[in-house]
Amino acid sequence: MESGLVLHERYQLVTQMGRNAGRQTWLARDLNSPQQESVTIKLLTFGGDVEWQDLKLFEREAQTLKQLDHEFIPQYRDYFSIDDRHLWFGLVQEYIPGHSLKELLEQGRKFTQSEIEAIAHQILEILHYLHHLKPQILHRDIKPSNLIQGEDEHIYLVDFGAVQDKAVAEGSTFTVIGTYGYCPLEQFGGKACAASDLYALGATLIHLLTGVTPADLPTANLRLNFRPFVTGDAHFLNWLEKLVEPALENRLSSVDEALNYLEQPPLPRRMTRQGKLRIHKPWQSPIVLKAFGDRLEISIPRRRFRTFTDYLHGLHLAAYGTILIFLLLVSPQTLWYGFIWLGLWGILVWRSLTHLFRETQILFNRTTFSITKNLWGFKYFSSKGITGKIQDISLAHQSSSAWSLDNYKPRTILMTCEALLSDKRYERRLFGEGLDEDELIWLAQEIRRWLFDYEPGDRQN
């Protein structure tokens, strides 16, 4: 196929928009239309790498588009075949001028949270239409390359080549269809459902938010671990996590449920004291917390040797000290040759020292807050901010020391604040490193209560 060729005595090819094995996509002109309007033609050549299953999916896409009528889905125009040395099949659709979200990402476009939320609402509106058809229509291949941002700034859903009609899917054999990273587990097993499209939507939005394809993001227990790559509203990030839950029973199951969850206010600001379950301070915790109406004081003392990781850090310090003393007593001149090596090792020693002997002081008042970290009276970290800019207190799942036996439990408390001078919309503060999981949960709860839900008379030491 080449530019200028007229197909089916009607469609003149203008520009090739895409090509892969046995398939071509062209921008063309409809010579029979009053203004020779632009159309998109998808061509499939039968034979070679193209099998019967590919032709069945191509015909299914044409039949599906023929019955759809939605302003943000390109309209079906025509379907034809050409027998010219090779057997070609053509699907003609309305042309949407614009760029795919994939193209925008490749051009370096950075999407803000508000832009991503707007995109999410538009896609959910399209999915609401598809999922409420009788029979229900599943797209099964939502991803940035199949979402076009038109010149009118609206989002259009394209490429229905993986579409599934639920009425004919039951009891039939299946072909694995979808794109790795955007496709949930149940879809690989041929059991796609409405929640499968929601998973793909969530993975797409995470791609827009992080700039990293889902396939390249780290995972923890099959979950996309995207939080280390982003700063944003905690409620929105929680919503994304609910969309990409690997277990179907834990995922948001319908468009209506997804919209309701997205549009509800963040939990800490919405909850009332009445009926709230309060977690008590772990009995063995040495943390000192004093809550008053005008301030909250938190003191986290140095750790005790309680866990296997603590003892490993202690052994590490002992080994470093023993070698250093041995070299000083037996062969002082050797220290000069091993200076660089000992210095690099000292970086790991500093990590062990701060793990075991760090003391953290946190002070909130109704105007400002401060976080200070000390080592034997030496202040090595200090951070200050405005209390009114705090948006959320949550638990962060960080990559822990290689000596840890469990990499997926909460590691620190994450405080999300509106940025003041930075180009970023949000800033993050981390504290509580080395605390047990139950201490982190309790401490995060108490900080939330003082910030968002404090009443006179509350006090805890």
Side-chain angles (χ1 to χ4, degrees), residues 411-426:
R411 299 297 169 189
T412 62
I413 292 176
L414 170 64
M415 183 164 65
T416 304
C417 309
E418 289 184 23
L420 294 178
L421 301 176
S422 170
D423 291 335
K424 297 180 180 179
R425 185 176 177 185
Y426 294 98

Side-chain angles (χ1 to χ4, degrees), residues 327 331-342:
L327 292 176
S331 181
Q333 65 274 15
T334 307
L335 285 175
W336 292 105
Y337 299 105
F339 179 76
I340 296 178
W341 180 78
L342 288 171

Side-chain angles (χ1 to χ4, degrees), residues 57-263:
L57 292 173
F58 194 74
E59 291 180 337
R60 182 194 297 173
E61 178 180 9
Q63 291 299 318
T64 300
L65 286 172
K66 196 172 184 178
Q67 61 179 302
L68 298 182
D69 183 17
H70 191 281
E71 60 179 328
F72 300 125
I73 297 175
Q75 291 185 347
Y76 168 91
R77 294 296 176 83
D78 198 3
Y79 184 78
F80 60 86
S81 61
I82 305 171
D83 190 358
D84 180 20
R85 291 183 297 175
H86 298 285
L87 184 58
W88 290 87
F89 294 88
L91 171 59
V92 185
Q93 300 170 256
E94 174 189 12
Y95 170 65
I96 305 298
H99 298 279
S100 72
L101 298 185
K102 179 183 179 182
E103 291 173 333
L104 295 177
L105 285 168
E106 291 173 344
Q107 293 169 11
R109 170 77 176 273
K110 304 295 184 183
F111 291 88
T112 65
Q113 180 182 315
S114 59
E115 289 175 325
I116 294 172
E117 287 190 36
I119 290 171
H121 275 95
Q122 292 181 66
I123 300 172
L124 285 169
E125 195 276 329
I126 299 172
L127 289 179
H128 185 275
Y129 166 75
L130 294 174
H131 292 178
H132 283 78
L133 291 173
K134 302 295 183 183
Q136 183 184 59
I137 297 295
L138 306 178
H139 188 276
R140 298 199 297 175
D141 199 21
I142 295 172
K143 56 185 178 180
S145 60
N146 287 338
L147 294 164
I148 305 296
Q149 186 173 60
E151 293 179 350
D152 57 2
E153 296 299 318
H154 286 292
I155 299 297
Y156 294 80
L157 180 60
V158 302
D159 196 347
F160 282 70
V163 73
Q164 175 177 292
D165 182 331
K166 290 290 285 183
V168 299
E170 303 296 334
S172 62
T173 58
F174 66 88
T175 301
V176 176
I177 295 176
T179 302
Y180 180 69
Y182 304 93
C183 182
L185 291 175
E186 73 274 3
Q187 189 166 321
F188 283 112
K191 297 181 179 179
C193 58
S196 305
D197 278 348
L198 293 180
Y199 182 98
L201 169 62
T204 296
L205 299 177
I206 289 171
H207 188 177
L208 299 182
L209 189 63
T210 63
V212 181
T213 62
D216 292 330
L217 286 171
T219 58
N221 294 334
L222 300 178
R223 291 178 174 85
L224 295 176
N225 185 20
F226 65 92
R227 286 206 183 229
F229 297 84
V230 299
T231 57
D233 176 68
H235 175 68
F236 181 66
L237 300 183
N238 291 339
W239 179 71
L240 290 178
E241 286 183 336
K242 293 291 288 183
L243 287 178
V244 294
E245 272 286 342
L248 187 58
E249 62 272 16
N250 295 330
R251 195 183 313 151
L252 296 172
S253 61
S254 68
V255 170
D256 291 331
E257 187 177 356
L259 283 170
N260 289 337
Y261 192 103
L262 176 61
E263 292 170 357

